Amino acid sequence: LRGKTADPYSVYPHYDLACVSSYLSILEAMQSKVLVVAYATDELKLDYLNSHPRRDCMIVIERKDQLESFLQTYAPEKYAAERERAYAWASRQTWKSVYETYKCLWSGAQ
């Protein structure tokens, strides 16, 4: 499957992992029980990804060679626990909880 889609939920089940790095894309992938591999293109993105509430359930890549190495050795069964923990968190998220998270982030509150 290639290209754009307005319905990512129909695409995720065809794959073991998703290379996404925005909050909502990460959430969608996690709700589909797909491992998130997020590429940090700069220090700001790296900080953003490392601050994600489920950082422990995703792979954050900082360099192209890390991504290549990860993909060459990737074994889906090795990440089953991460996918399940991510799904458990993501399935509890609502638009209100996403709003509250963004509100907290933008206000600088912890």
Side-chain angles (χ1 to χ4, degrees):
L1 299 172
R2 294 195 164 117
K4 294 181 180 182
T5 181
D7 182 19
Y9 291 109
S10 68
V11 176
Y12 287 127
H14 297 281
Y15 298 95
D16 296 321
L17 60 85
C19 294
V20 296
S21 61
S22 70
Y23 192 88
L24 292 179
S25 295
I26 289 169
L27 181 58
E28 290 172 336
M30 288 179 171
Q31 287 174 338
S32 299
K33 293 188 178 184
V34 174
L35 179 68
V36 170
V37 178
Y39 185 58
T41 55
D42 54 46
E43 289 297 318
L44 180 61
K45 189 66 152 188
L46 181 61
D47 185 52
Y48 169 82
L49 292 169
N50 283 330
S51 299
H52 191 280
R54 289 297 7 187
R55 166 61 180 98
D56 62 321
C57 298
M58 69 174 97
I59 306 301
V60 175
I61 303 289
E62 297 179 54
R63 297 184 324 271
K64 181 182 172 185
D65 63 310
Q66 287 178 318
L67 179 59
E68 290 170 353
S69 177
F70 174 79
L71 293 175
Q72 288 174 351
T73 60
Y74 173 65
E77 63 279 357
K78 182 178 173 185
Y79 295 94
E82 285 84 353
R83 286 194 309 273
E84 288 300 322
R85 284 196 322 271
Y87 173 75
W89 172 81
S91 66
R92 293 189 310 270
Q93 301 309 299
T94 64
W95 280 113
K96 182 174 176 148
S97 66
V98 171
Y99 163 77
E100 292 297 331
T101 298
Y102 271 99
K103 188 171 106 175
C104 180
L105 290 171
W106 282 102
S107 72
Q110 295 295 327

